[in-house]
């Protein structure tokens, strides 16, 4: 694969936005060098730029950088100094290609565009709508997977944790189709892929017969992330009377009597949950290196219970008090990008922006609407809710850290995988012009014409 040079882009590093070139070889980011005057954008963090984000050759590691923090008053000159050649760089490692020859590289001109790390989406169940776009209309699983994957690079998503639910018993959430999709994704990613396909198994804890399925998937390394869900009426997402029934009637085309019968069965099964067995399942996952999450936490006690099971992520807490408690307990808190874009929860629960403003959220996922993830990042920056590097971290580095893949993904640093997106703006909307996964361009876009 020919080396790639992305030139003249506004590169979003973990703590700064700088004008720089990125050199990619063998699927990895090898060098980052100053472009032109190496200007620092006003989109940089408002506090300090950490020297841990120093631009160094791949032979040096992120963790070994020891220099002191750079004060923001000297950010411009100090970042330029960090981008000097080998004569001024410790251990003789240059961050500048002094012998750059365009003939040796596939050059992508990113002038006027942002260059971001590829988005890492740890919760997105939109593949369910690809399988069943309308009630009682199922499409072939392989066709659905291929078509859904093709849509993700245009939204800047380079790592997707396909969120597959086990236990509701409806559509793709039933045992048979769920297990078939898990097997399909594992077969598919072993042979080819466009992006990095991973599996987030969402286990409905009242589905008692599904416990052995989850355990087997863990043993066989078939899943990459596990969350515990409880969608029973009267608590969590469906704490309002009748909300569960309305949901299944709308999404599954059920009659009221059918929905009510489903509720009776669900509540009876919930009484039989073996909570100690559930805790053992969580610890089994941890031993396999699988990250764990809770879902729709609505109380401090709920967070504490699931923390004892080994979770490190709380997804979509229902209220601010619960979100703050989760963060205080050292958990990552995940909120939905559609909530940010729309400015409100579709269930009238916690507004994501309120959680972020209060410092009670650290991860953004697309939830059910893939295109919202990149939109939400730039909305946070545009509305000055978060500096651009901080907003980007919530959709890249933080989810990568939560799922244990930050050594390879989630930020633009030498030695990491070259999962990169180039983003332009149109009327304030971000749109992706290039997506690279492992240094390979998997998506490009351009306009048909440009008006004078």
């Amino acid at each position: 694969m020919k080396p790639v040079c992305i030139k003249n882009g506004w590169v979003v590093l973990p703590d700064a936005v700088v004008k720089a070139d990125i050199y990619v070889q063998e699927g990895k980011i090898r060098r980052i060098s100053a472009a032109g005057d190496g200007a620092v954008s006003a989109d940089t963090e408002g506090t300090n730029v950490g020297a841990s984000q120093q631009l160094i050759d791949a032979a040096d590691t992120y963790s070994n950088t020891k220099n002191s923090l750079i004060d923001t008053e000297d950010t411009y000159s100090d970042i330029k100094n960090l981008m000097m050649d080998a004569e001024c760089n410790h251990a003789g490692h240059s961050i500048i290609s002094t012998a750059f020859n365009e003939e040796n590289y596939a050059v992508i001109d990113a002038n006027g565009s942002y260059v971001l790390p590829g988005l890492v989406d740890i919760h997105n169940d939109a593949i369910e709508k690809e399988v069943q776009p309308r009630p009682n209309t199922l499409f072939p699983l392989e066709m659905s997977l291929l078509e859904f994957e093709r849509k993700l690079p245009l939204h800047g998503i380079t790592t997707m944790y396909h969120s597959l639910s086990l236990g509701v018993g409806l559509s793709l959430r039933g045992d048979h189709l769920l297990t078939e999709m898990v097997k399909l994704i594992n077969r598919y990613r072993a042979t080819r892929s466009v992006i990095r396909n991973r599996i987030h198994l969402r286990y409905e804890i009242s589905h008692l017969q599904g416990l052995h399925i989850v355990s087997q998937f863990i043993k066989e390394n078939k899943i990459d992330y596990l969350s515990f869900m409880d969608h029973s009426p009267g608590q969590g997402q469906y704490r309002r009377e009748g909300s569960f029934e309305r949901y299944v009637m709308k999404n599954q085309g059920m009659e009221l009597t059918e929905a009510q019968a489903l509720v009776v069965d669900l509540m009876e099964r919930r009484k039989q949950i073996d909570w100690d067995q559930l805790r053992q399942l969580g610890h089994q996952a941890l031993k396999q290196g699988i990250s764990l999450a809770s879902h729709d936490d609505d109380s401090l006690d709920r967070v504490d219970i699931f923390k004892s099971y080994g979770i490190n992520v709380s997804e979509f807490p229902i209220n601010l008090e619960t979100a703050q408690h989760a963060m205080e307990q050292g958990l990552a808190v995940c909120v939905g990008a559609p909530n940010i874009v729309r400015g409100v929860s579709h269930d009238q629960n916690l507004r994501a922006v309120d959680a972020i403003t209060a410092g009670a959220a650290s991860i953004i996922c697309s939830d059910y609407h893939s295109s919202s993830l990149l939109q939400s990042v730039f909305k946070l920056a545009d509305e000055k809710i978060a500096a651009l590097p901080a907003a980007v971290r919530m959709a890249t580095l933080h989810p990568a850290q939560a799922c244990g893949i930050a050594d390879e993904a989630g930020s633009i640093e030498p030695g990491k995988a070259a999962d990169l997106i180039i983003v332009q703006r149109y009327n304030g909307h971000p749109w992706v012009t290039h997506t690279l996964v492992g240094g390979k361009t998997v998506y490009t876009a351009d306009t048909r014409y440009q008006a004078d």
Side-chain angles (χ1 to χ4, degrees), residues 243-302:
S243 58
F244 180 85
E245 292 90 333
R246 289 191 293 272
Y247 172 80
V248 295
M249 288 169 64
K250 176 182 176 181
N251 284 273
Q252 300 300 327
M254 283 188 172
E255 298 294 334
L256 178 59
T257 53
E258 294 177 294
Q260 290 172 334
L262 182 64
V263 168
V264 171
D265 178 63
L266 179 58
M267 296 305 290
E268 185 59 35
R269 283 189 280 119
R270 192 177 188 279
K271 295 177 183 177
Q272 302 174 45
I273 293 174
D274 185 333
W275 295 93
D276 186 60
Q277 198 173 31
L278 200 62
R279 180 181 292 105
Q280 292 175 24
L281 186 70
H283 292 166
Q284 179 191 357
L286 289 176
K287 289 179 181 178
Q288 290 290 96
I290 297 169
S291 294
L292 291 167
S294 56
H295 186 77
D296 293 342
D297 294 324
D298 59 5
S299 69
L300 278 59
D301 287 344
R302 177 93 168 191

Side-chain angles (χ1 to χ4, degrees), residues 12 27 34 98 117 139 158 187 198 229 251 306 335 382 384 403:
V12 183
T98 55
F139 281 78
T158 57
R187 287 197 306 269
R198 296 174 179 267
M229 302 189 302
N251 284 273
F306 280 109
V335 295
D382 290 344
K384 302 188 185 307
C403 287

Side-chain angles (χ1 to χ4, degrees), residues 203-206 227-238 270 273 275 278 293-311 313-319 322 325-326 329 331:
Y203 174 52
E204 189 72 38
I205 60 176
S206 59
S227 61
F228 295 125
M229 302 189 302
D230 183 358
H231 283 121
S232 57
Q235 54 81 50
Q237 183 177 343
Y238 298 115
R270 192 177 188 279
I273 293 174
W275 295 93
L278 200 62
S294 56
H295 186 77
D296 293 342
D297 294 324
D298 59 5
S299 69
L300 278 59
D301 287 344
R302 177 93 168 191
V303 170
D304 294 340
I305 289 170
F306 280 109
K307 186 183 177 186
S308 73
Y309 293 2
I311 70 160
V313 180
S314 172
E315 296 184 339
F316 317 122
I318 298 300
N319 54 64
T322 301
H325 180 69
Q329 295 303 306
L331 305 178

Side-chain angles (χ1 to χ4, degrees), residues 28 62 397 400-401 404-411 413-417:
K28 302 285 187 179
Y62 176 83
L397 184 57
Q401 290 170 335
I405 61 169
D407 287 346
E408 282 292 312
S411 59
E413 299 176 52
K416 284 196 173 185

Side-chain angles (χ1 to χ4, degrees), residues 185-198:
I185 293 174
N186 276 284
R187 287 197 306 269
Y188 177 69
R189 66 183 179 180
T191 57
R192 59 160 278 172
S193 68
V194 177
I195 65 160
R196 302 184 191 275
N197 293 287
R198 296 174 179 267

